[in-house]
Amino acid sequence: MGDDGETPANSSGENSEPTANQDELILAQQRQIEQEISEAIPLVGEPDSILSLNSEYSTDEVYLGKIKDLASKYRSIRRTRPDGNCFFRAFSYATLERLLSDKEEFNKFYKLAENSKDVLVELGFQQFTVEDFYDTYMEVLKKLADIESVEEAKKELQSIFNEQGYSDYMVVYLRLLTSAQLQKEQDFYSCFIEGDRTIVDFCHQEVEPMFKDSDHIHIMAACSALNTGVRVLYMDRGTGSNVTQHDLPEGCTPTVHLLYRPSHYDILYV
């Protein structure tokens, strides 16, 4: 019944159509917000001062205190787009950026990547599914390896990671490598999975699809897949004025440093 006691003219006694229309409006609004984010924030930004975070939390004393603590440990931050792929994009970018300054380590990583397609296929991934992503991943590595100047290579890296096609393919391939690592070591990782899902189910639903957020389990497996470690600085509304840090895997020497704020990762520089 309407406010005046009469049945609205378009009411049929069923609410499926209005509900469907409402769902469409919500989805359209969500797409618009995503588009606005896409236009406003680059996939991988330029380095900025840690204190630039103050403008995002200008009236929040809890966060301002933690930014001050963070600024005592790190000199700059490189923001990534908050699109659900931020961990994989930030981790991949920061790993490659570090390797560009160490030719020997870069060559070891290149060999690891070169052999990775065979590992995926052996685990049951369809070759035709992974081939395009693998080829693009190796194309990017070769392009970077061929640049003599470290500074020029770093400029090229940022350019590549801001080209949607290349950048997303790099993300997808790291998602596949992470999924493979979880499945290779499923006896260990299965204890982190809640509910009745198998590791394979979890990978298909939470790791391999784009725009799915990442958690500890993704980070540990990604680090293991790339033979590296990461330090994550957690900045949230938790008690105390200091940011909390965790090294993953535990006891590692971290080569990548990431800032985590609820549902988002950015790159940190000491």
Side-chain angles (χ1 to χ4, degrees), residues 14-51:
E14 296 180 0
N15 60 8
S16 58
E17 187 176 344
T19 301
N21 290 340
Q22 187 178 24
D23 288 345
E24 287 172 13
L25 287 171
I26 291 169
L27 286 171
Q29 186 178 33
Q30 185 178 349
R31 282 193 293 268
Q32 183 180 351
I33 291 168
E34 288 170 353
Q35 181 65 29
E36 288 171 359
I37 290 173
S38 176
E39 290 172 355
I41 303 174
L43 291 166
V44 179
E46 297 279 355
D48 204 352
S49 162
I50 295 294
L51 295 179

Side-chain angles (χ1 to χ4, degrees), residues 153-171:
K154 287 183 177 181
K155 286 180 184 175
E156 181 65 17
L157 178 69
Q158 186 170 15
S159 174
I160 287 168
F161 267 76
N162 278 295
E163 289 183 39
Q164 191 89 46
Y166 275 117
S167 195
D168 285 355
Y169 266 49
M170 299 297 283
V171 168

Side-chain angles (χ1 to χ4, degrees), residues 28-149:
Q29 186 178 33
Q30 185 178 349
R31 282 193 293 268
Q32 183 180 351
I33 291 168
E34 288 170 353
Q35 181 65 29
E36 288 171 359
I37 290 173
S38 176
E39 290 172 355
I41 303 174
L43 291 166
V44 179
E46 297 279 355
D48 204 352
S49 162
I50 295 294
L51 295 179
S52 67
L53 291 165
N54 284 341
S55 62
E56 298 178 40
Y57 304 99
S58 58
T59 61
D60 193 318
E61 292 302 323
V62 174
Y63 273 102
L64 291 175
K66 294 190 175 184
I67 292 167
K68 184 178 179 181
D69 177 53
L70 189 68
S72 71
K73 300 177 173 74
Y74 293 89
R75 60 181 170 84
S76 58
I77 179 173
R78 189 190 293 272
R79 291 175 174 82
T80 62
R81 183 178 295 173
D83 61 0
N85 297 312
C86 54
F87 164 70
F88 285 100
R89 208 180 308 274
F91 180 65
S92 185
Y93 185 98
T95 298
L96 292 175
E97 184 180 35
R98 179 188 68 83
L99 290 170
L100 291 175
S101 300
D102 189 329
K103 202 73 174 174
E104 185 178 341
E105 286 298 311
F106 185 94
N107 290 337
K108 286 181 187 176
F109 183 84
Y110 190 96
K111 277 291 181 191
L112 175 75
E114 203 169 34
N115 297 328
S116 62
K117 183 176 72 173
D118 293 338
V119 174
L120 290 172
V121 173
E122 284 171 17
L123 278 167
F125 288 82
Q126 294 296 318
Q127 184 161 333
F128 70 86
T129 303
V130 304
E131 202 138 51
D132 278 353
F133 301 111
Y134 169 80
D135 288 346
T136 299
Y137 197 85
M138 294 309 301
E139 178 190 342
V140 168
L141 293 188
K142 187 169 190 317
K143 190 179 290 192
L144 295 171
D146 288 343
I147 300 173
E148 291 296 327
S149 163

